[in-house]
PDB file of all heavy atoms in Angstrom:
ATOM      1  N   PHE A  46      58.403 277.044  89.803  1.00  0.00           N
ATOM      2  CA  PHE A  46      57.612 276.671  88.757  1.00  0.00           C
ATOM      3  C   PHE A  46      56.069 276.897  89.131  1.00  0.00           C
ATOM      4  O   PHE A  46      55.306 277.496  88.464  1.00  0.00           O
ATOM      5  CB  PHE A  46      57.878 275.172  88.357  1.00  0.00           C
ATOM      6  CG  PHE A  46      59.008 274.842  87.608  1.00  0.00           C
ATOM      7  CD1 PHE A  46      60.242 274.875  88.369  1.00  0.00           C
ATOM      8  CD2 PHE A  46      59.010 274.954  86.223  1.00  0.00           C
ATOM      9  CE1 PHE A  46      61.366 274.634  87.510  1.00  0.00           C
ATOM     10  CE2 PHE A  46      60.269 274.696  85.570  1.00  0.00           C
ATOM     11  CZ  PHE A  46      61.344 274.525  86.170  1.00  0.00           C
ATOM     12  N   HIS A  47      55.641 276.361  90.296  1.00  0.00           N
ATOM     13  CA  HIS A  47      54.305 276.346  90.641  1.00  0.00           C
ATOM     14  C   HIS A  47      54.026 277.713  91.344  1.00  0.00           C
ATOM     15  O   HIS A  47      52.887 278.223  91.287  1.00  0.00           O
ATOM     16  CB  HIS A  47      54.016 275.286  91.560  1.00  0.00           C
ATOM     17  CG  HIS A  47      54.679 274.012  91.123  1.00  0.00           C
ATOM     18  ND1 HIS A  47      54.337 273.467  89.804  1.00  0.00           N
ATOM     19  CD2 HIS A  47      55.631 273.217  91.696  1.00  0.00           C
ATOM     20  CE1 HIS A  47      55.076 272.282  89.703  1.00  0.00           C
ATOM     21  NE2 HIS A  47      55.864 272.209  90.909  1.00  0.00           N
ATOM     22  N   GLY A  48      55.024 278.318  91.812  1.00  0.00           N
ATOM     23  CA  GLY A  48      54.856 279.585  92.602  1.00  0.00           C
ATOM     24  C   GLY A  48      54.584 280.780  91.730  1.00  0.00           C
ATOM     25  O   GLY A  48      54.817 281.892  92.234  1.00  0.00           O
ATOM     26  N   GLY A  49      54.348 280.643  90.545  1.00  0.00           N
ATOM     27  CA  GLY A  49      53.742 281.825  89.737  1.00  0.00           C
ATOM     28  C   GLY A  49      55.031 282.577  89.281  1.00  0.00           C
ATOM     29  O   GLY A  49      55.044 283.262  88.259  1.00  0.00           O
ATOM     30  N   GLU A  50      55.953 282.723  90.193  1.00  0.00           N
ATOM     31  CA  GLU A  50      57.064 283.642  89.966  1.00  0.00           C
ATOM     32  C   GLU A  50      57.953 282.910  88.809  1.00  0.00           C
ATOM     33  O   GLU A  50      58.924 282.340  89.095  1.00  0.00           O
ATOM     34  CB  GLU A  50      57.805 283.912  91.099  1.00  0.00           C
ATOM     35  CG  GLU A  50      58.633 285.174  91.111  1.00  0.00           C
ATOM     36  CD  GLU A  50      60.024 285.072  90.494  1.00  0.00           C
ATOM     37  OE1 GLU A  50      60.886 284.376  91.050  1.00  0.00           O
ATOM     38  OE2 GLU A  50      60.169 285.541  89.445  1.00  0.00           O
ATOM     39  N   LEU A  51      57.452 283.159  87.484  1.00  0.00           N
ATOM     40  CA  LEU A  51      58.189 282.479  86.473  1.00  0.00           C
ATOM     41  C   LEU A  51      59.288 283.496  85.938  1.00  0.00           C
ATOM     42  O   LEU A  51      58.965 284.294  85.168  1.00  0.00           O
ATOM     43  CB  LEU A  51      57.273 282.186  85.366  1.00  0.00           C
ATOM     44  CG  LEU A  51      57.752 281.326  84.209  1.00  0.00           C
ATOM     45  CD1 LEU A  51      58.248 279.966  84.655  1.00  0.00           C
ATOM     46  CD2 LEU A  51      56.799 281.139  83.069  1.00  0.00           C
ATOM     47  N   SER A  52      60.413 283.301  86.464  1.00  0.00           N
ATOM     48  CA  SER A  52      61.409 284.323  86.129  1.00  0.00           C
ATOM     49  C   SER A  52      61.978 284.023  84.704  1.00  0.00           C
ATOM     50  O   SER A  52      61.693 282.968  84.163  1.00  0.00           O
ATOM     51  CB  SER A  52      62.665 284.158  87.133  1.00  0.00           C
ATOM     52  OG  SER A  52      63.284 283.018  86.712  1.00  0.00           O
ATOM     53  N   ARG A  53      62.716 285.072  84.183  1.00  0.00           N
ATOM     54  CA  ARG A  53      63.089 284.848  82.882  1.00  0.00           C
ATOM     55  C   ARG A  53      63.980 283.591  82.645  1.00  0.00           C
ATOM     56  O   ARG A  53      63.865 282.830  81.673  1.00  0.00           O
ATOM     57  CB  ARG A  53      63.968 286.092  82.427  1.00  0.00           C
ATOM     58  CG  ARG A  53      64.714 286.020  81.101  1.00  0.00           C
ATOM     59  CD  ARG A  53      65.490 287.204  80.803  1.00  0.00           C
ATOM     60  NE  ARG A  53      66.496 286.890  79.811  1.00  0.00           N
ATOM     61  CZ  ARG A  53      67.595 286.176  80.100  1.00  0.00           C
ATOM     62  NH1 ARG A  53      67.839 285.776  81.264  1.00  0.00           N
ATOM     63  NH2 ARG A  53      68.497 285.956  79.138  1.00  0.00           N
ATOM     64  N   ARG A  54      64.728 283.249  83.458  1.00  0.00           N
ATOM     65  CA  ARG A  54      65.625 282.098  83.445  1.00  0.00           C
ATOM     66  C   ARG A  54      64.895 280.913  83.239  1.00  0.00           C
ATOM     67  O   ARG A  54      64.957 280.046  82.165  1.00  0.00           O
ATOM     68  CB  ARG A  54      66.761 282.027  84.500  1.00  0.00           C
ATOM     69  CG  ARG A  54      67.751 282.979  84.349  1.00  0.00           C
ATOM     70  CD  ARG A  54      68.676 282.951  85.583  1.00  0.00           C
ATOM     71  NE  ARG A  54      67.867 282.935  86.900  1.00  0.00           N
ATOM     72  CZ  ARG A  54      67.186 284.025  87.206  1.00  0.00           C
ATOM     73  NH1 ARG A  54      67.344 285.131  86.517  1.00  0.00           N
ATOM     74  NH2 ARG A  54      66.513 283.979  88.379  1.00  0.00           N
ATOM     75  N   ASN A  55      64.028 280.494  84.235  1.00  0.00           N
ATOM     76  CA  ASN A  55      63.474 279.158  84.111  1.00  0.00           C
ATOM     77  C   ASN A  55      62.391 279.294  83.064  1.00  0.00           C
ATOM     78  O   ASN A  55      62.021 278.381  82.374  1.00  0.00           O
ATOM     79  CB  ASN A  55      62.728 278.740  85.390  1.00  0.00           C
ATOM     80  CG  ASN A  55      62.196 279.743  86.255  1.00  0.00           C
ATOM     81  OD1 ASN A  55      61.404 280.549  85.670  1.00  0.00           O
ATOM     82  ND2 ASN A  55      62.390 279.742  87.442  1.00  0.00           N
ATOM     83  N   PHE A  56      61.952 280.474  82.595  1.00  0.00           N
ATOM     84  CA  PHE A  56      61.140 280.614  81.358  1.00  0.00           C
ATOM     85  C   PHE A  56      61.985 280.059  80.206  1.00  0.00           C
ATOM     86  O   PHE A  56      61.488 279.160  79.499  1.00  0.00           O
ATOM     87  CB  PHE A  56      60.766 282.150  81.099  1.00  0.00           C
ATOM     88  CG  PHE A  56      60.293 282.320  79.816  1.00  0.00           C
ATOM     89  CD1 PHE A  56      58.915 282.163  79.579  1.00  0.00           C
ATOM     90  CD2 PHE A  56      61.023 282.749  78.607  1.00  0.00           C
ATOM     91  CE1 PHE A  56      58.275 282.527  78.345  1.00  0.00           C
ATOM     92  CE2 PHE A  56      60.451 283.005  77.468  1.00  0.00           C
ATOM     93  CZ  PHE A  56      59.171 282.834  77.320  1.00  0.00           C
ATOM     94  N   LEU A  57      63.189 280.444  80.157  1.00  0.00           N
ATOM     95  CA  LEU A  57      64.012 279.998  79.016  1.00  0.00           C
ATOM     96  C   LEU A  57      64.380 278.453  79.201  1.00  0.00           C
ATOM     97  O   LEU A  57      64.410 277.664  78.264  1.00  0.00           O
ATOM     98  CB  LEU A  57      65.269 280.798  78.808  1.00  0.00           C
ATOM     99  CG  LEU A  57      64.970 282.171  78.412  1.00  0.00           C
ATOM    100  CD1 LEU A  57      66.102 283.159  78.519  1.00  0.00           C
ATOM    101  CD2 LEU A  57      64.477 282.201  76.998  1.00  0.00           C
ATOM    102  N   GLN A  58      64.541 278.058  80.486  1.00  0.00           N
ATOM    103  CA  GLN A  58      64.938 276.697  80.780  1.00  0.00           C
ATOM    104  C   GLN A  58      63.645 275.801  80.358  1.00  0.00           C
ATOM    105  O   GLN A  58      63.824 274.797  79.739  1.00  0.00           O
ATOM    106  CB  GLN A  58      65.183 276.411  82.330  1.00  0.00           C
ATOM    107  CG  GLN A  58      66.551 276.948  82.590  1.00  0.00           C
ATOM    108  CD  GLN A  58      66.798 277.157  83.999  1.00  0.00           C
ATOM    109  OE1 GLN A  58      65.807 277.179  84.759  1.00  0.00           O
ATOM    110  NE2 GLN A  58      67.946 277.652  84.481  1.00  0.00           N
TER     111      GLN A  58
END
Side-chain angles (χ1 to χ4, degrees):
Chain A
F46 285 85
H47 318 301
E50 203 272 293
L51 185 66
S52 74
R53 173 180 158 282
R54 281 174 316 287
N55 40 43
F56 170 83
L57 291 169
Q58 282 156 357

